[in-house]
């Protein structure tokens, strides 16, 4: 039982790592939906491979799938080049056709024998430990670990060896072409790796969830860093983390392991979307509010400084007067004053505000860098 | 010809064919607007996103009535659209990436819920797993009536707001400048697409639904430059593919209806691309060879 669990988690982690290695480039090159199309379209290829090999032969599956992927990419591009069909429509026509062909073959020739349609969608990772690799009668352990381990190594080599080319072709295809790297060649190489990875991951997580493992961790990483190397490293870590977390969830609820793993990746993405230090929605909202309050406090102290030591100082420093003078809502004014008090910029005595030394210092600095302080500044703040 | 006669006499086949034809009409019409707005794949994302909505609706109400499931799918679809829009608007992730993320994670969550439901109840009792590949072969009269009602309502809305949707599809900024609320129209159009998807889930399933929206519209586009004609043609192509798929699937055992509908549709799309007058690729190629020959003389 424990070995089975270990094999399942390790399989999931290897799928996640292999997919995430390529995913960063897919996200950056806006090829997420093309990858989705490929992962669907390999189905008839795999089935045809199994058909000719008369059984679930791995190599035949690989060959068929690679062929199907090549056909898909070529047909999508040919359709786009006719200018009769929009780019996204071309994808939306080709992959359902291929997938329909695949499910037709599965129901007609393989019903419940080597493949069934549900496994096509979300895989059979639960049985990873029982599908062992036997060569010349020697038991080499679970086949999925060998296949996916090899896939990880191949993808890692691809990314490491061609890192410079991939990076250049992704961020500046024009320059890449000018320097003599063919962006088209790199494009097709990447597509080939995607299809090979999709086949390798097929038995474990099915054709539809592969794309979650490819794109979602990479998109999560894209929200967390600006550095490509770091992005790939984060994507792989997020993928492996989701695989482990997803298994626990699936174990508790007795649900699909591959589905739970992909869902965990989605939760990671949601967290990054909300709380990423640089790009998170909540973080950005908070930063905006902080900037607005800082500006308001500067306005407040500059206003007080301007009216220090003048005849009507008493009146200008009244809390109630501030709201109308700086055109602040009463609630907002109270919040700003509260913050300024806590920052020890002003002191409040009997409804009158007085600058502290720190407040006067800030006001002088702010007045030196800003023009006439007015409420317009607030409106103009980012 | 035997199939055609059975079409009118065989009860099951009539329901299957009628249901598939209905789906073809509704998704063909709505797909025209989606394709013209370059949002064909949004339908794909919505179809995948509907799965967790349907499962949650079932878990919460323990009911399988189409209206409940429709509500679940609509809420999930609406949430997915919102998420995609927010991701594109507020982050540097492209629309393509946002679609992929939402589609795959919603679907994954749907799979989790689905396996949770199936393992809890007696195997396959809930019947929800049929939504993955559709269950056209098990359509009964009640389903067809519900589909007709839903589809009729959606088509009625399109007829009522035809002018507005047309403007939105071809020149959204102009529509906004005329005082139409393009956001409301957009949401409305997306909601109608969700209705088409819910009808489609019964018949062709989550994964193949994208083609039901995109295929008829792309095929119809090749034959005409007028929106009205395009919509009527798309409806006809969709219906034709639906009936053809149903007929092929009953001709032999073990042929699933959904994939056959999609494959029939693909044939229609390919024929249109190659042989449609004016825009057909074959005529284009012929014209070019003739010109080249004339030039060589």
């Amino acid at each position: 039982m424990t070995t089975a669990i270990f094999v399942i988690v390790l399989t999931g982690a290897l799928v996640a790592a292999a997919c995430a290695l390529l995913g960063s480039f897919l996200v950056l090159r806006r090829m997420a939906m093309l990858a989705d199309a490929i992962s669907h379209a390999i189905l008839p290829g795999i089935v045809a491979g199994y058909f000719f090999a008369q059984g679930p032969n791995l190599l035949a599956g690989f060959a068929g799938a690679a062929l199907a992927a090549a056909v898909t990419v070529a047909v999508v591009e040919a359709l786009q080049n006719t200018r009769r069909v929009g780019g996204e429509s071309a994808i939306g026509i080709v992959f359902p056709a291929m997938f329909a062909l695949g499910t037709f073959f599965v129901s007609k020739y393989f019903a419940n024998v080597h493949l069934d349609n549900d496994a096509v969608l979300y895989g059979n990772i639960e049985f990873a430990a029982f599908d062992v690799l036997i060569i010349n009668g020697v038991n080499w352990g679970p086949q999925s670990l060998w296949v996916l381990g090899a896939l990880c190594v191949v993808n890692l080599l691809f990314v490491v060896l061609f890192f410079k080319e991939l990076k250049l072709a992704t961020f500046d295809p024009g320059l890449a072409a000018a320097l003599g790297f063919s962006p088209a060649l790199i494009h097709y190489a990447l597509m080939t790796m995607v299809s090979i990875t999709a086949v390798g991951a097929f038995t474990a997580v099915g054709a539809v969830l592969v794309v979650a493992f490819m794109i979602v961790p990479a998109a999560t990483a894209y929200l967390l860093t600006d550095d490509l190397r770091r992005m790939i490293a984060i994507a792989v870590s997020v993928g492996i983390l989701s695989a482990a977390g997803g298994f626990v969830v699936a174990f508790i609820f007795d649900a699909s392991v591959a589905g739970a793993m992909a869902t965990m990746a989605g939760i990671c993405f949601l967290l990054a979307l909300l709380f990423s230090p640089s790009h998170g929605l909540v973080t950005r909202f908070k930063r905006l509010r902080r900037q607005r309050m800082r500006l308001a406090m500067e306005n407040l102290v500059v206003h007080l400084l301007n009216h220090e030591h003048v005849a009507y100082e008493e009146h200008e420093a009244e809390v109630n007067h501030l709201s109308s003078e700086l055109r602040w809502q009463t609630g907002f004014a109270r919040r700003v004053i509260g913050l300024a008090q806590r920052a020890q910029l002003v002191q409040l005595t009997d409804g009158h505000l007085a600058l502290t030394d720190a407040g006067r210092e800030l006001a002088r600095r702010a007045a030196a860098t800003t023009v006439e302080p007015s409420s317009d500044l607030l409106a103009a703040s980012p | 010809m035997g199939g055609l006669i059975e079409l009118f006499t065989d009860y099951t086949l009539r329901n299957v064919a009628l249901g598939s034809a209905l789906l073809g009409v509704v998704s063909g019409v709505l797909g025209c607007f989606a394709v013209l707005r370059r949002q064909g794949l949004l339908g794909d994302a919505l179809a995948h996103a509907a799965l967790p909505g349907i499962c949650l609706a079932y878990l919460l109400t323990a009911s399988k009535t189409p209206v409940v499931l429709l509500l679940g799918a609509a809420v999930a679809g609406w949430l997915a659209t919102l998420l995609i829009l927010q991701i594109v608007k507020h982050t540097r992730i492209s629309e393509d990436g946002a679609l992929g993320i939402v589609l795959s994670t919603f679907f994954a969550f749907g799979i989790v819920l689905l396996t949770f439901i199936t393992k809890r109840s007696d195997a396959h009792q809930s019947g929800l797993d049929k939504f993955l590949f559709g269950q056209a072969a098990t359509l009964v009269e009640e389903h067809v009536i519900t589909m007709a009602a839903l589809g009729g309502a959606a088509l009625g809305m399109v007829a009522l707001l035809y002018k507005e949707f047309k403007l939105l599809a071809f020149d959204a900024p102009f529509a906004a400048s005329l005082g139409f609320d393009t956001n409301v129209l957009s949401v409305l159009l997306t909601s109608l697409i969700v209705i088409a998807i819910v009808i489609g889930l019964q018949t062709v399933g989550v994964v193949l639904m994208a083609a039901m929206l995109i295929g008829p519209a792309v095929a119809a586009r090749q034959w005409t430059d007028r929106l009205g004609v395009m919509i009527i043609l798309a409806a006809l192509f969709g219906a034709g593919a639906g009936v053809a798929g149903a007929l092929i699937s009953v001709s032999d055992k073990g042929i699933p209806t959904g994939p056959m509908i999609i494959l029939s549709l693909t044939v229609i799309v390919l024929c249109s691309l190659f042989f449609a007058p004016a825009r057909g690729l074959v005529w284009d190629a012929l014209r070019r060879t003739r010109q080249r020959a004339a030039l060589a003389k």
Side-chain angles (χ1 to χ4, degrees):
Chain A
M1 188 62 195
T2 31
T3 18
I5 290 177
F6 178 71
V7 170
I8 293 173
V9 175
L10 193 58
T11 306
L14 287 173
V15 170
C19 289
L21 278 168
L22 303 176
S24 302
F25 295 102
L26 296 176
V27 169
L28 289 170
R29 298 167 65 91
R30 308 183 170 202
M31 293 184 349
M33 290 311 283
L34 190 59
D36 184 48
I38 288 178
S39 72
H40 284 77
I42 57 171
L43 181 61
I46 295 176
V47 179
Y50 287 7
F51 183 76
F52 285 116
Q54 297 181 332
N57 183 307
L58 206 63
L59 277 179
F62 266 106
L67 197 67
V71 168
T72 308
V73 176
V75 174
V76 166
E77 276 175 16
L79 276 179
Q80 287 168 348
N81 286 339
T82 63
R83 295 168 188 227
R84 276 15 175 220
V85 183
E88 84 298 320
S89 293
I91 293 178
I93 290 171
V94 175
F95 88 80
M98 298 286 277
F99 195 75
L101 203 63
T103 42
F104 166 66
F105 283 144
V106 172
S107 340
K108 188 92 180 108
Y109 302 110
F110 289 93
N112 302 320
V113 186
H114 306 299
L115 279 165
D116 73 71
N117 275 327
D118 287 353
V120 165
L121 287 181
Y122 49 88
N124 250 335
I125 199 171
E126 287 83 352
F127 299 112
F130 308 112
D131 197 4
V132 290
L133 183 69
I134 294 171
I135 299 174
N136 296 333
V138 184
N139 185 343
W140 288 76
Q143 179 172 290
S144 63
L145 295 186
W146 287 103
V147 174
L148 290 164
L151 215 54
C152 272
V153 174
V154 171
N155 283 356
L156 187 67
L157 279 177
F158 175 70
V159 170
V160 169
L161 288 178
F162 298 106
F163 185 75
K164 188 176 61 207
E165 287 81 358
L166 281 166
K167 188 175 174 179
L168 195 60
T170 299
F171 289 106
D172 196 342
L175 181 64
L179 290 177
F181 305 115
S182 162
L185 193 66
I186 291 165
H187 174 78
Y188 286 114
L190 188 59
M191 288 294 94
T192 311
M193 299 310 287
V194 166
S195 56
I196 293 175
T197 309
V199 196
F202 177 79
T203 20
V205 300
V208 181
L209 293 181
V210 175
V211 81
F213 286 87
M214 284 189 185
I215 298 166
V216 182
T220 310
Y222 193 30
L223 294 177
L224 294 173
T225 177
D226 291 335
D227 180 280
L228 182 58
R229 283 166 210 270
R230 220 169 282 157
M231 179 175 165
I232 296 172
I234 294 176
V236 172
S237 319
V238 168
I240 293 174
L241 214 66
S242 316
F247 178 78
V248 175
V249 172
F251 195 73
I252 294 171
F253 291 102
D254 191 19
S256 155
V257 173
M261 287 174 170
T263 307
M264 284 310 271
I267 291 173
C268 289
F269 175 78
L270 194 65
L271 288 177
L273 180 67
L274 293 176
F275 304 112
S276 151
S278 46
H279 296 88
L281 297 184
V282 173
T283 339
R284 272 188 11 190
F285 177 73
K286 273 191 173 162
R287 194 163 53 220
L288 263 178
R289 209 179 53 179
R290 212 168 39 236
Q291 279 172 350
R292 189 160 161 244
M293 292 316 269
R294 208 187 56 217
L295 202 67
M297 277 199 293
E298 282 181 7
N299 265 336
L300 174 70
V301 290
V302 169
H303 174 79
L304 289 174
L305 182 72
N306 280 349
H307 300 288
E308 243 180 0
H309 312 302
V310 290
Y312 49 90
E313 182 188 347
E314 289 281 295
H315 170 67
E316 288 289 342
E318 261 176 41
V319 174
N320 291 334
H321 172 75
L322 281 168
S323 312
S324 58
E325 174 73 20
L326 293 170
R327 290 181 212 157
W328 286 346
Q329 302 261 315
T330 330
F332 183 73
R334 211 170 290 142
R335 251 192 10 245
V336 174
I337 291 169
L339 274 176
Q341 271 179 294
R342 229 171 304 146
Q344 305 201 315
L345 297 171
V346 295
Q347 277 175 334
L348 183 66
T349 36
D350 321 325
H352 285 85
L353 286 173
L355 284 173
T356 61
D357 289 340
R360 209 165 288 123
E361 177 57 27
L362 176 69
R364 286 211 182 93
R365 251 187 299 132
T369 50
T370 50
V371 216
E372 176 68 10
S374 74
S375 52
D376 293 348
L377 254 173
L378 273 184
S381 69
Chain B
M1 277 323 273
L4 273 183
I5 294 163
E6 276 174 38
L7 194 57
F8 299 105
T9 53
D10 186 291
Y11 173 78
T12 319
L13 180 59
R14 196 180 60 207
N15 282 329
V16 174
L18 212 57
S20 309
L22 263 170
L23 165 67
V25 171
V26 177
S27 61
V29 170
L30 290 164
C32 285
F33 293 103
V35 165
L36 288 173
R37 300 185 70 203
R38 305 200 153 263
Q39 288 186 335
L41 288 179
L42 183 64
D44 189 32
L46 291 179
H48 283 75
L51 187 63
I54 288 172
C55 292
L56 274 180
Y58 175 78
L59 272 178
L60 290 176
T61 63
S63 136
K64 266 196 301 175
T65 44
V67 182
V68 172
L69 300 185
L70 165 76
L71 271 176
V75 170
W78 178 78
L79 196 67
T81 318
L82 193 78
L83 249 175
I84 292 170
L85 286 177
Q86 294 305 311
I87 291 173
V88 173
K89 193 172 166 193
H90 292 294
T91 72
R92 50 185 176 176
I93 294 171
S94 63
E95 191 183 353
D96 163 86
L99 279 172
I101 293 162
V102 169
L103 177 156
S104 58
T105 47
F106 270 64
F107 185 73
F109 184 51
I111 290 292
V112 170
L113 292 174
L114 190 66
T115 43
F116 176 68
I117 292 170
T118 359
K119 278 184 183 165
R120 230 177 31 152
S121 54
D122 296 329
H124 301 280
Q125 189 202 37
S126 64
L128 289 182
D129 56 335
K130 292 289 177 222
F131 285 113
L132 294 174
F133 291 100
Q135 50 172 1
T138 58
L139 284 178
V140 294
E141 205 169 311
E142 185 203 342
H143 290 137
V144 177
I145 290 172
T146 319
M147 285 165 76
L150 285 173
L155 293 181
M157 284 298 280
V158 173
L160 268 177
L161 294 171
Y162 178 71
K163 189 182 62 200
E164 284 81 357
F165 284 158
K166 186 177 181 180
L167 204 53
L168 186 73
F170 287 106
D171 200 341
F174 181 55
S177 77
L178 288 182
F180 293 108
D181 193 332
T182 47
N183 283 330
V184 170
L185 283 176
S186 220
V187 168
L188 200 62
L189 197 54
T190 311
S191 310
L192 294 181
I193 291 177
V194 170
I195 292 184
I197 286 167
V198 170
I199 296 177
L201 294 184
Q202 300 249 352
T203 318
V204 296
V206 167
V207 186
L208 298 178
M209 192 50 218
M212 281 315 284
L213 284 167
I214 298 174
V218 166
R221 175 69 188 90
Q222 310 310 319
W223 297 82
T224 175
D225 287 333
R226 299 191 57 84
L227 181 62
V229 183
M230 178 178 166
I231 287 177
I232 291 168
L233 278 178
L236 286 176
F237 288 153
V243 174
L247 284 178
I248 297 170
S249 73
V250 293
S251 68
D252 195 4
K253 250 196 235 162
I255 302 184
T257 315
M260 286 342 278
I261 295 176
I262 301 302
L263 289 176
S264 314
L265 188 59
T266 310
V267 172
I268 295 177
V269 172
L270 288 179
C271 286
S272 302
L273 275 170
F274 282 113
F275 302 114
R279 279 168 72 99
L281 293 172
V282 171
W283 316 136
D284 214 33
L286 277 179
R287 210 160 27 234
R288 220 172 298 149
T289 17
R290 219 175 297 136
Q291 279 169 351
R292 208 168 291 150
L295 213 63
K297 273 184 212 163

